[in-house]
Amino acid sequence: MNKLLTSPIKQISKKISAGEIQPSEVCKASVKLTQVIKPLNAYINVTTNEAERQAEESDERQRKKKMLGPLDDSYYGPTKNLWGSDVASNYVYVTKDSSYEMGKTDNESNWHIAGGSSGGSAVAVATGSCFAALGSDSGGSTRNPASYCGLVGLKPSYGLVSRHGLIPLVNSMDVPGILARTVDDVVLVLNAVAGPDHLDSTTLQRPYIPFELPNSPEMTDLKIGIPKEYRAPVLSEEVDLCWRKVAQMLEEAGATIVQVSLPHTDLSIVCYSVLNQCEVASNMARYDGIEFGLRAEEDSSTEELYAKTRSLGFNEVVRSRILTGNYYLLSENYEDYFVKAMRVRRLIAQDFDKTWQANVDILLTPTTLSDAPTIQEFTTTDNQTQCSVQDFCTQPANMAGHPAVNVPITISNKGLPISLQLMAPFLQEQRLLMVAKWIEQNVQFPRLVLKDESLLNQVK
């Protein structure tokens, strides 16, 4: 059963359809593993009773040969996002932001960051406790943890997947992401969740047509761009070498490799910082202790109630973004910050448009500039500096609304995943994931396991 939990969804689905295993067996193993990996902090709440009830229903459908589809009884975990905060303490949530960990060493300072606000979802998938997970991606928070944990992480085109149920951070950039262990698994989940939703006005009001990827994708006739601005000064030699090797592999397979320029890349992080904090200030205003969530013990005035509730419910990073965002949105500052940032955002989007107009089909870039940092390395700089480094390659795709995917490639000298990113024109997920599948098949990334494999032996 251990190998089953880390198998592709299609393989599990075939075994269930053939009657070789029961959905309830998969459920039991998955629930047990969530307890084994509890120290990794990937879950806030495991709804065991509900999972068992749904597994019994799947068993019944299996007996009647009426399975709902390939995802019937494939266990997944949604992201935490804001739901792990005290300010939303009376809401039901499932997974937690595991900002830590892909494998504990003897010294806690050598733990490695999973990265991004979907880090808990990434850890859940990487350990095999679920087959796929939903994440949130405002500037790379699905792709970054996917990169650090050796997973496929997709940020769909803006509006392709409903945001209903996603706590808004940056409305104009937030996209529900998908994390899985294979490209085909990502496609299965995307086909299940994409499409218009009357509960989310930002979804595209057009039918979504599910697709499948060819078993042996072809790279001939594809034009793949290498943006020169993504070769950042702090890009690690290992990531750079990996990038060059994969570009060469694609060229040898028949693709045309060209250098392209996205000249406003360096401005993306600064632009994002301003827009992020403005939208956070607006979105977080609803968490005031009046309608829902945490309510501070304060009755001297409404203003004091708001202030105390937010001080207790939000951490320092969120409070800082609220204060800075409100400063940027003051009438005397609005033109200098928000309006200028929006103009820069348009320039960044136009950079991508010019690239696609030059008949470039796909962009190949790093995802992160290095493998996962240790906690000690991560905490030596402030949150803003970390974002400027970790989101350098991922953030521009959110600015433009284009789809992007992380593909794990190899293992670093420290034994940690190194990944690359692909970006495509708006709504070109099929092309994007076809190239991702080709890379996946040709690099043969070694799948990760828990460092202490004896833990997995507890799951029988």
Side-chain angles (χ1 to χ4, degrees):
M1 190 58 74
N2 295 349
K3 290 184 179 179
L4 199 63
L5 291 177
T6 54
S7 298
I9 294 174
K10 278 187 177 179
Q11 186 175 325
I12 301 296
S13 179
K14 286 180 180 178
K15 288 182 178 292
I16 290 175
S17 296
E20 296 176 23
I21 55 172
Q22 287 186 304
S24 56
E25 292 179 296
V26 182
C27 174
K28 183 179 179 182
S30 180
V31 169
K32 277 190 176 181
L33 185 53
T34 62
Q35 296 304 311
V36 173
I37 67 163
K38 198 170 183 178
L40 301 184
N41 206 28
Y43 294 89
I44 285 178
N45 184 37
V46 179
T47 54
T48 304
N49 292 337
E50 180 64 16
E52 290 175 347
R53 183 189 67 78
Q54 292 186 13
E56 289 175 3
E57 292 177 354
S58 292
D59 283 351
E60 182 63 24
R61 288 192 292 272
Q62 183 191 42
R63 284 190 288 270
K64 295 179 179 179
K65 299 187 182 303
K66 292 183 178 180
M67 300 301 288
L68 299 178
L71 292 181
D72 198 344
D73 207 59
S74 294
Y75 296 94
Y76 70 94
T79 187
K80 174 274 303 181
N81 209 342
L82 178 67
W83 289 120
S85 304
D86 286 338
V87 76
S89 57
N90 64 352
Y91 274 70
V92 177
Y93 36 73
V94 181
T95 57
K96 184 176 182 180
D97 170 11
S98 172
S99 296
Y100 301 58
E101 228 353 311
M102 255 313 293
K104 182 181 176 183
T105 63
D106 292 335
N107 186 333
E108 187 177 272
S109 66
N110 289 326
W111 288 17
H112 289 268
I113 299 295
S117 59
S118 300
S121 296
V123 170
V125 177
T127 55
S129 61
C130 63
F131 295 105
L134 299 180
S136 60
D137 198 313
S138 301
S141 294
T142 295
R143 288 159 287 158
N144 282 353
S147 174
Y148 290 152
C149 295
L151 302 172
V152 180
L154 172 69
K155 181 203 88 69
S157 300
Y158 185 85
L160 184 62
V161 178
S162 173
R163 297 187 306 151
H164 180 65
L166 176 67
I167 301 301
L169 180 70
V170 185
N171 294 47
S172 65
M173 299 180 210
D174 286 347
V175 177
I178 300 168
L179 297 109
R181 290 185 289 273
T182 70
V183 174
D184 279 333
D185 282 358
V186 166
V187 172
L188 284 171
V189 177
L190 179 65
N191 286 340
V193 300
D197 180 3
H198 72 279
L199 295 173
D200 177 11
S201 61
T202 66
T203 55
L204 300 170
Q205 298 305 306
R206 64 180 74 176
Y208 172 78
I209 302 174
F211 62 88
E212 291 186 9
L213 300 176
N215 291 328
S216 300
E218 294 289 336
M219 294 298 101
T220 52
D221 300 326
L222 277 177
K223 190 174 181 181
I224 298 177
I226 307 292
K228 63 181 182 180
E229 290 82 6
Y230 281 60
R231 191 160 274 112
V234 293
L235 181 68
S236 77
E237 290 184 8
E238 285 187 293
V239 174
D240 190 26
L241 179 61
C242 173
W243 189 13
R244 295 176 190 271
K245 283 186 175 179
V246 172
Q248 183 179 348
M249 289 170 60
L250 287 162
E251 188 169 35
E252 291 172 352
T256 301
I257 305 297
V258 296
Q259 181 172 280
V260 299
S261 179
L262 300 171
H264 297 95
T265 297
D266 286 344
L267 300 177
S268 184
I269 290 295
V270 176
C271 176
Y272 173 71
S273 178
V274 174
L275 297 178
N276 173 303
Q277 291 171 98
C278 289
E279 294 198 38
V280 166
S282 176
N283 284 325
M284 296 303 106
R286 73 195 69 188
Y287 301 106
D288 53 16
I290 301 298
E291 292 185 75
F292 46 76
L294 176 72
R295 185 187 181 101
E297 295 293 330
E298 178 61 59
D299 56 13
S300 61
S301 71
T302 304
E303 289 76 11
E304 286 298 321
L305 171 63
Y306 291 170
K308 191 169 183 179
T309 296
R310 290 170 179 164
S311 294
L312 294 172
F314 293 124
N315 65 21
E316 185 178 347
V317 171
V318 177
R319 294 199 302 270
S320 172
R321 292 185 184 186
I322 292 172
L323 290 170
T324 308
N326 281 320
Y327 174 79
Y328 290 154
L329 292 170
L330 291 172
S331 58
E332 60 266 34
N333 298 328
Y334 187 78
E335 289 285 335
D336 289 336
Y337 290 98
F338 183 77
V339 173
K340 283 185 178 179
M342 289 296 290
R343 289 172 179 161
V344 171
R345 181 178 184 178
R346 183 181 302 151
L347 293 174
I348 294 168
Q350 288 173 348
D351 286 347
F352 282 100
D353 291 341
K354 291 175 184 176
T355 301
W356 311 135
Q357 289 164 8
N359 296 319
V360 172
D361 298 299
I362 293 287
L363 293 176
L364 175 68
T365 77
T367 305
T368 53
L369 301 178
S370 68
D371 56 11
T374 63
I375 289 180
Q376 189 175 41
E377 292 167 342
F378 189 85
T379 54
T380 55
T381 54
D382 59 75
N383 179 267
Q384 181 66 36
T385 303
Q386 284 294 340
C387 288
S388 68
V389 174
Q390 304 306 328
D391 294 347
F392 180 84
C393 297
T394 55
Q395 206 291 309
N398 294 80
M399 284 283 185
H402 296 314
V405 64
N406 177 77
V407 186
I409 306 296
T410 189
I411 298 295
S412 71
N413 291 331
K414 292 188 290 185
L416 296 168
I418 292 178
S419 303
L420 294 178
Q421 175 183 234
L422 297 168
M423 293 182 279
F426 190 64
L427 295 180
Q428 291 298 319
E429 273 76 6
Q430 185 168 358
R431 181 197 304 170
L432 178 78
L433 293 170
M434 182 189 70
V435 179
K437 183 172 179 176
W438 185 93
I439 293 174
E440 178 184 71
Q441 290 177 339
N442 284 271
V443 301
Q444 293 293 303
F445 177 77
R447 294 298 158 194
L448 301 184
V449 296
L450 286 175
K451 279 194 170 185
D452 185 356
E453 293 188 17
S454 63
L455 289 175
L456 288 177
N457 292 329
Q458 298 177 35
V459 184
K460 301 201 183 215

